[in-house]
Amino acid sequence: MTMSVEQSEKIAPAGIAWRAVVVGIGYLVLLTLGGAMLVSLGAEFPQIDNGTGLLPWTLASGVAIGLVLGSFASHISATRIRHIFVWFSLLFLNGVAVIIEGHFFVTELISFKIIPFLVIQQLIVAIGTATLITFLFAPNAGTNVTIRDSKRSWFSWIWRVGASVLIYVVLFLIVGGINYALFTRPFYEQQAGLVIPEMPNLLAVETMRGILIVASMLDRKSTRLNSSHSSVSS
């Protein structure tokens, strides 16, 4: 599908900045409250040394998410429901991909027992953050949206997805191998609980992660950058 509207309101750089900070604060609050809620329901999250020290980094990550995704959202013409779905799928599927990879690299911290709770936490964070991005950044297209179905066949999409996943896995092995040989080997050897999976497991987990990453991007085929703006808003 392709969606478009004739005009939207352009957000000034200062407007993008304060909106990104709001998204960052919301991201931190959602992550914290979501975790606290799950703990109250019986979840046993791994203990992390100096967890409080991670809060500024979590906030910075949320602000970065707001800056990047918000900047794109402000130029994409689509209904708000479509926007929420687009940014939710991007955040949630990538979050799940990181959890799955983390289980194989840091098994002592991310066990099978905790994975469902982490997925639920990511679900909460993704829904809330996607909603914030939509209502803070996205132009209000209302119902004035033209929809055109994609003419690509299923086979056309399947081979593109397969090729994208293959490219991701190959690049991960090449870049990751170089990075490990030059920089991160001492860190893996000295850090307790951090392991490099055996090659069959590594290929399996990175293939799964590649599928999730590509799936999170598929709905971007349904949106179009809008270059026509009527005014500037702060």
Side-chain angles (χ1 to χ4, degrees):
M1 295 181 180
T2 299
M3 296 186 174
S4 64
V5 294
E6 294 301 322
Q7 290 185 323
S8 64
E9 192 177 66
K10 184 177 180 180
I11 302 176
I16 290 178
W18 74 256
R19 285 171 171 84
V21 172
V22 173
V23 171
I25 294 172
Y27 177 83
L28 175 60
V29 170
L30 287 164
L31 198 63
T32 303
L33 293 183
M37 182 187 71
L38 292 172
V39 168
S40 69
L41 295 175
E44 297 180 1
F45 287 103
Q47 297 295 322
I48 300 176
D49 295 335
N50 193 26
T52 305
L54 295 176
L55 292 179
W57 292 103
T58 304
L59 176 62
S61 298
V63 173
I65 289 171
L67 282 173
V68 176
L69 299 189
S71 297
F72 279 105
S74 67
H75 291 84
I76 290 179
S77 297
T79 62
R80 280 179 171 168
I81 293 297
R82 173 64 68 174
H83 267 285
I84 291 174
F85 180 78
V86 164
W87 309 122
F88 163 76
S89 63
L90 183 64
L91 292 167
F92 178 66
L93 292 178
N94 276 276
V96 172
V98 171
I99 292 170
I100 293 173
E101 185 182 55
H103 169 70
F104 286 87
F105 281 83
V106 201
T107 306
E108 293 183 6
L109 287 179
I110 305 178
S111 63
F112 274 120
K113 182 180 179 180
I114 200 64
I115 285 177
F117 293 106
L118 292 174
V119 170
I120 294 172
Q121 184 185 37
Q122 288 301 312
L123 180 68
I124 295 170
V125 172
I127 292 174
T129 305
T131 302
L132 280 174
I133 290 170
T134 297
F135 282 90
L136 288 172
F137 289 95
N140 187 7
T143 58
N144 184 27
V145 180
T146 301
I147 301 177
R148 185 172 65 249
D149 290 333
S150 172
K151 297 185 181 301
R152 284 178 177 166
S153 65
W154 278 104
F155 175 77
S156 176
W157 282 111
I158 289 172
W159 79 256
R160 283 174 168 81
V161 169
S164 299
V165 172
L166 178 61
I167 290 171
Y168 166 79
V169 173
V170 170
L171 287 176
F172 175 89
L173 293 176
I174 294 174
V175 177
I178 294 173
N179 184 53
Y180 179 76
L182 296 179
F183 304 107
T184 60
R185 180 192 291 269
F187 181 74
Y188 276 87
E189 292 175 347
Q190 297 171 14
Q191 190 73 19
L194 192 60
V195 298
I196 298 292
E198 296 181 358
M199 184 56 68
N201 290 335
L202 184 63
L203 289 174
V205 69
E206 293 307 329
T207 298
M208 189 179 302
R209 188 182 183 192
I211 292 172
L212 289 171
I213 291 173
V214 173
S216 74
M217 299 297 295
L218 284 180
D219 200 62
R220 251 54 72 212
K221 73 184 179 65
S222 304
T223 59
R224 182 173 68 91
L225 290 180
N226 182 23
S227 58
S228 177
H229 303 286
S230 57
S231 60
V232 177
S233 171
S234 60

